Amino acid sequence: SLWTAINDATPTTPATKPVLKVNCASELTATTDAVTMSLEFGNFMTRAFPELVQRHNQLSLVEHARFAEKVLLSKISGLSTKVTTAASLGTSRDLLSAVARASAQYRNRHRIARGIQLRLLMPDWTLDAIREDIASNLRIENLAVTDSVVQAWFAARGFNISWYMDDTFAAQTAGAALNDWPATVKFWLSSEGSLLFLDGGTLDLGIIRDAELVSTNDYITFVETFEGVAKVGLEVLEVSAATHTGPLVGSGTGGGG
């Protein structure tokens, strides 16, 4: 409210200074889920091929991590405001422009100072796509752009980045052309601390043998992690940024593709 000297002499607009009463907020509840994994092996197989059993256990942990990350990303998506951007300049410049535009608007809406870093979640393969886009103009100095250089471009725009791995490519078809880069990069932007990872710990029972398994000469391994995500801060922005739909094309000596 604005209380002017004229209004102070004869209070009318407003007649009194307004007060916003702050009420207790509603309680929010966030829960964890159990991401489970269990394998069954035969005793004969384990005795004959211990290296194979070990490798199956290693690969199952890889799949467990992939599955758990996809679940978390899905939960983050459900807590987000979803927007899109169009392609116009090429992968590197399209993405840098998209994150800068989203950041500027986000900071303005929430009055966040320029020196405060925002959190950015972006797929790991984006580093490769940006590097090859820069290299596509065939300038020799652009053929060895490192990950640290690309990450510095994002840091210069005020971001701390978490690179997630499990935005997977489609399966490669035998005899077909090599899959192109995805036409859209999905990333999430938020103030630091707006999203909390809920870590409920790990239940690892190792090898389990009971009467039924023993009767068939088998055993199982079992592990599960308790995970979730809670939104406790400002808005989370999910941006689906279009880049290109075909092979990378250089733009000569005038700049990046």
Side-chain angles (χ1 to χ4, degrees):
S1 175
L2 180 64
W3 186 272
T4 66
I6 295 175
N7 193 68
D8 189 68
T10 308
T12 55
T13 310
T16 60
K17 295 178 181 178
V19 177
L20 176 65
K21 182 178 180 181
V22 180
N23 296 313
C24 184
S26 301
E27 184 178 83
L28 299 178
T29 301
T31 60
T32 61
D33 297 318
V35 183
T36 69
M37 181 190 69
S38 185
L39 301 176
E40 181 174 338
F41 298 99
N43 289 330
F44 273 121
M45 175 183 172
T46 302
R47 293 282 181 171
F49 306 107
E51 297 87 353
L52 179 62
V53 171
Q54 181 185 33
R55 188 57 179 152
H56 276 298
N57 280 314
Q58 292 170 339
L59 289 175
S60 66
L61 290 173
V62 171
E63 180 58 26
H64 180 277
R66 182 187 296 278
F67 181 84
E69 183 167 278
K70 286 183 175 180
V71 170
L72 287 176
L73 291 175
S74 177
K75 289 180 178 293
I76 291 173
S77 180
L79 297 170
S80 302
T81 301
K82 299 174 176 60
V83 296
T84 63
T85 66
S88 59
L89 301 172
T91 300
S92 54
R93 286 178 289 180
D94 281 341
L95 282 178
L96 290 173
S97 175
V99 297
R101 182 152 50 106
S103 170
Q105 296 176 17
Y106 191 95
R107 290 178 185 278
N108 183 269
R109 283 195 297 273
H110 301 293
R111 210 168 189 273
I112 299 175
R114 185 175 295 275
I116 298 175
Q117 299 287 94
L118 301 179
R119 174 59 58 179
L120 190 65
L121 304 179
M122 185 166 282
D124 181 75
W125 58 263
T126 309
L127 286 168
D128 302 288
I130 290 175
R131 177 169 46 249
E132 297 315 307
D133 179 54
I134 296 298
S136 66
N137 65 25
L138 299 182
R139 282 188 173 183
I140 191 67
E141 64 270 23
N142 291 338
L143 297 181
V145 175
T146 63
D147 288 353
S148 61
V149 169
V150 177
Q151 293 186 61
W153 295 341
F154 287 98
R157 287 162 173 80
F159 293 106
N160 290 320
I161 304 184
S162 296
W163 301 98
Y164 64 88
M165 296 181 63
D166 295 314
D167 180 23
T168 53
F169 287 81
Q172 182 66 57
T173 303
L178 180 66
N179 291 340
D180 191 20
W181 298 107
T184 302
V185 177
K186 182 184 291 185
F187 62 86
W188 286 270
L189 182 153
S190 64
S191 60
E192 196 70 82
S194 286
L195 293 171
L196 291 183
F197 172 62
L198 305 180
D199 185 357
T202 300
L203 178 61
D204 188 349
L205 299 183
I207 294 177
I208 300 174
R209 301 179 188 273
D210 58 20
E212 183 177 350
L213 289 167
V214 169
S215 70
T216 58
N217 208 34
D218 296 320
Y219 68 92
I220 65 172
T221 60
F222 175 84
V223 64
E224 65 183 17
T225 57
F226 297 88
E227 305 180 9
V229 63
K231 179 184 174 185
V232 297
L234 304 177
E235 69 174 320
V236 178
L237 206 58
E238 178 184 301
V239 182
S240 294
T243 53
H244 66 278
T245 57
L248 292 168
V249 178
S251 58
T253 58

